[in-house]
Amino acid sequence: RFLGLFAVATLLVACGGPQESASLKEAKAVHEQLTRISDELHDAIFDAMAPLEEQIDSAMVAGDTLMAAQLAKLEGKLDRIHVRFHDWSETVTEIPGQACTHDHSHDHDGHDHGHDHSHDHGATLPDGLSDEEILEIQQALLAALDSLKADFDRAVE
């Protein structure tokens, strides 16, 4: 009997302990997806905003105040989406036991857009959540990100 318990204990240690639940595996997959999408969206927002100030100035110099006003309106929309993005990013939580592997530096060639891009996440998961609850949180974060991305896509159409 002792030998049987020893074999089970050895197997658990060798395999890294108990297996993850399907919900936790899915939560990790959703988190990886939202990480990829958020990195892409942040870069797209920056890329869309970067040339606008110069384009507005050029339109004003050319006397095209209508174009300058349209570009300024777009710049305002993108700035609001950018702020919402960073508000959303403060709610992102890591999966317990999963190392953070995504880049929070968002260094855009020295461009400072008025806020800090520290590596710290703004939210932490409370202790004692079930794997299903962790999955629901990750799915809610992804849904909010998808909404932000849709707003960005509409703004730049």
Side-chain angles (χ1 to χ4, degrees):
R1 178 177 176 184
F2 175 76
L3 216 43
L5 288 175
F6 179 75
V8 169
T10 302
L11 184 61
L12 284 175
V13 170
C15 296
Q19 293 294 314
E20 288 183 345
S21 72
S23 294
L24 191 57
K25 286 180 184 177
E26 186 177 349
K28 287 180 178 184
V30 170
H31 185 80
E32 288 173 13
Q33 183 181 7
L34 74 86
T35 297
R36 180 185 47 78
I37 294 169
S38 69
D39 287 347
E40 291 169 359
L41 178 59
H42 189 267
D43 289 346
I45 292 169
F46 173 76
D47 290 345
M49 291 178 70
L52 287 176
E53 193 170 323
E54 186 176 313
Q55 291 172 349
I56 292 168
D57 290 345
S58 294
M60 291 299 287
V61 168
D64 191 349
T65 56
L66 180 59
M67 177 58 77
Q70 289 173 335
L71 290 169
K73 184 177 177 181
L74 174 59
E75 184 179 43
K77 283 182 186 180
L78 292 176
D79 190 51
R80 287 187 296 278
I81 290 169
H82 195 211
V83 168
R84 285 177 46 215
F85 174 86
H86 285 285
D87 288 345
W88 168 87
S89 71
E90 290 298 314
T91 68
V92 174
T93 57
E94 293 298 324
I95 306 293
Q98 183 177 29
C100 177
T101 58
H102 49 282
D103 177 24
H104 293 272
S105 64
H106 299 292
D107 181 15
H108 298 291
D109 299 322
H111 178 76
D112 176 17
H113 27 264
H115 48 265
D116 165 16
H117 293 284
S118 68
H119 183 80
D120 298 331
H121 291 275
T124 56
L125 289 173
D127 292 334
L129 291 178
S130 70
D131 292 352
E132 292 77 18
E133 291 168 323
I134 292 170
L135 173 58
E136 288 175 15
I137 290 167
Q138 296 303 309
Q139 289 171 330
L141 286 167
L142 183 58
L145 180 60
D146 286 342
S147 175
L148 265 172
K149 185 175 180 320
D151 290 348
F152 170 76
D153 291 343
R154 277 191 297 277
V156 295
E157 284 180 341

